[in-house]
Amino acid sequence: INTAAGKITVGILVMQDICLAIMLAVMPVVSAGGSIERMFMIVLIKLLVMACIILVCRWIWPVCLRALQGSKSQDLFLLGVVTLCVVMTMMTEKVLNSAEVGAFLSGMLINTAPRDLSSKAVHLFEPVRDIFAALFFSSIGMLINPAFLVKQAIAVSILVVGVLIGKVLILTPLVIGLGSDVPGVNLEMAIRSSISLANIGEFAFVLANGGLEMGFLDSEWYKVLLGAAALSLLISPLATNALHHLTKMIILNGVILTPSMEADVAKLQDEKSSTGNSEILLTNVKHHA
């Protein structure tokens, strides 16, 4: 995370989450229909309301967390943090028609609180987070039908491969462009970062569920997307390692030679040349002997 690749990767992940929150807020407006001008105005109003909520809570949350910390009770502090998250979720459900946006904003506001408060909140919230993460993925597993995946294996496989390759091709120049002024950012690092981001994220389940509820997807395509996302998460570690090795082979064979690799390749070639000369000299000595 402390490297240039890690920082850029985390930044892109955060931007993906922000775009997801905006899409979840916009989807009800688009599904309701109407003129372009009306939809644009509603979306603009929702974004302004979201910004106001963030600004107000950005000031209120540290005050609430500081008051909870003054109670000297970890249980009360944890209960207060959960209450704040639930209130934010209910608020965005009423205002923006999206509870997911409220949950995302809650986590973001906790992280932007003063360091001592945010660290304590994250530490105490970890068991709750793990429980809800387990419930989330368990509920996703209940929606996946293995027989349907076998029946639609070709469509699911094409979607997974297309997303993996497409994200690598899109993110590689994006990482290079964003990190053009950052030391250590080069083609090799950009490829590695894009590979680590190539899988379909778990928030795809939330977005697909919203699309199904609002009529953007039918049940068949919803199941295909769920299967592709689940398969992508399962094979992501294997695919990441395979693509890393493939990239290294391509670079070392000179198909792609990045500035950071030129010195290593030259060193390897010199060592190989020296080894070859030593072997020839040893052969000649043995022959004369």
Side-chain angles (χ1 to χ4, degrees):
I1 295 178
N2 296 325
T3 63
K7 292 178 180 178
I8 292 177
T9 301
V10 172
I12 293 176
L13 287 173
V14 172
M15 286 304 302
Q16 286 180 347
D17 295 342
I18 293 175
C19 291
L20 172 72
I22 295 174
M23 291 177 67
L24 290 172
V26 168
M27 284 172 62
V29 179
V30 178
S31 65
S35 62
I36 301 296
E37 293 80 6
R38 178 178 177 275
M39 287 191 293
F40 177 78
M41 288 302 299
I42 294 176
V43 170
L44 182 61
I45 291 172
K46 286 197 171 192
L47 293 178
L48 290 175
V49 170
M50 187 187 303
C52 291
I53 291 174
I54 294 174
L55 291 176
V56 172
C57 293
R58 180 74 176 83
W59 174 75
I60 293 177
W61 277 51
V63 176
C64 296
L65 293 176
R66 190 70 68 184
L68 291 170
Q69 188 183 37
S71 66
K72 306 298 182 180
S73 172
Q74 292 188 350
D75 294 335
L76 184 58
F77 188 90
L78 176 60
L79 183 60
V81 172
V82 173
T83 302
L84 289 173
C85 294
V86 172
V87 170
M88 174 66 78
T89 302
M90 294 175 62
M91 187 186 305
T92 56
E93 175 68 23
K94 295 295 184 182
V95 177
L96 302 175
N97 297 324
S98 177
E100 294 85 356
V101 174
F104 173 76
L105 294 179
S106 298
M108 186 176 67
L109 289 169
I110 290 175
N111 188 56
T112 55
R115 179 56 56 188
D116 58 329
L117 297 175
S118 63
S119 299
K120 183 176 181 180
V122 171
H123 174 69
L124 294 176
F125 205 76
E126 281 181 353
V128 180
R129 181 198 63 189
D130 295 339
I131 291 173
F132 279 106
L135 291 174
F136 173 75
F137 285 105
S138 297
S139 62
I140 294 300
M142 295 177 186
L143 297 174
I144 295 176
N145 185 357
F148 178 83
L149 294 182
V150 173
K151 181 180 178 181
Q152 300 290 338
I154 297 177
V156 172
S157 301
I158 292 174
L159 184 59
V160 171
V161 174
V163 169
L164 292 177
I165 296 176
K167 290 187 73 173
V168 170
L169 294 177
I170 293 173
L171 289 174
T172 298
L174 180 62
V175 171
I176 293 176
L178 292 175
S180 57
D181 298 329
V182 179
V185 175
N186 50 44
L187 181 59
E188 176 198 356
M189 192 279 293
I191 294 175
R192 293 182 182 276
S193 297
S194 60
I195 290 172
S196 63
L197 294 167
N199 66 295
I200 303 174
E202 60 274 7
F203 281 131
F205 298 113
V206 178
L207 194 61
N209 184 64
L212 178 66
E213 292 178 352
M214 298 173 195
F216 293 107
L217 295 173
D218 57 21
S219 59
E220 294 294 319
W221 272 108
Y222 174 70
K223 293 177 182 178
V224 170
L225 290 175
L226 283 184
L231 182 61
S232 171
L233 290 175
L234 289 174
I235 69 172
S236 178
L238 298 175
T240 300
N241 290 333
L243 289 173
H244 277 314
H245 288 304
L246 179 61
T247 302
K248 187 176 181 180
M249 289 175 59
I250 292 175
I251 291 174
L252 291 177
N253 282 288
V255 179
I256 300 176
L257 191 61
T258 63
S260 65
M261 295 296 293
E262 289 180 353
D264 294 336
V265 173
K267 183 178 179 181
L268 289 174
Q269 290 176 345
D270 291 340
E271 291 178 354
K272 184 178 180 181
S273 177
S274 299
T275 303
N277 292 334
S278 299
E279 290 177 353
I280 293 173
L281 180 61
L282 181 60
T283 301
N284 290 333
V285 169
K286 290 180 178 180
H287 178 72
H288 288 296

